[in-house]
Amino acid sequence: MFGMEDRLERVNAKIANVDKIETFFDEISVEPQLINPLLASIDSSLLKQKIKAKSIVTRPNLGIDDMRKVLPDVESFLSNFDDETTMLAEIGMKYEGYIRKEQEMVEKMDRLESVRLADHFDYLGLKSLSFEAREKLHQIKPRTIGQASRISGVSPSDISVLLVHVGR
């Protein structure tokens, strides 16, 4: 059991270190004259004023390792962390927006699972549904909006129509 606790402790330490790196990049501002030569070398738009380091690291074709070569403060800070932790932090920063969107989609789908449909819902009478959706919904009789959304041939606009009709 000690081995498992030790591994868990190392994972938690790594997560805490990734958070420290992300916080550092959220807080530190970068001067244009320090980073512009690097940006010019990769055909990325140059800075006109100071911006947060996180805004730079999220650019394509640019990573933390590039930044540490030209920014002494970044190199100094990152020297406290191993390469794997630094890489995890970079991935987290670069994909944060995508991850947030996916999380919002998961939450939306969870909400749709809680919207119940009546057992004898008259799908055929809803002329605002596509013909294919009316047929499939009538045949399958899903219990929730979430189930209805996973039926092949039921479009997002059909789901919107159902939501309006169930009062959501």
Side-chain angles (χ1 to χ4, degrees), residues 44 87 89:
S44 188
M87 181 188 70

Side-chain angles (χ1 to χ4, degrees), residues 117-137:
L117 292 168
D119 290 337
H120 302 333
F121 197 92
D122 181 20
Y123 299 105
L124 297 176
L126 280 179
K127 299 300 179 200
S128 47
L129 288 174
S130 69
F131 179 78
E132 184 179 12
R134 279 183 277 168
E135 290 291 316
K136 290 202 173 178
L137 291 167

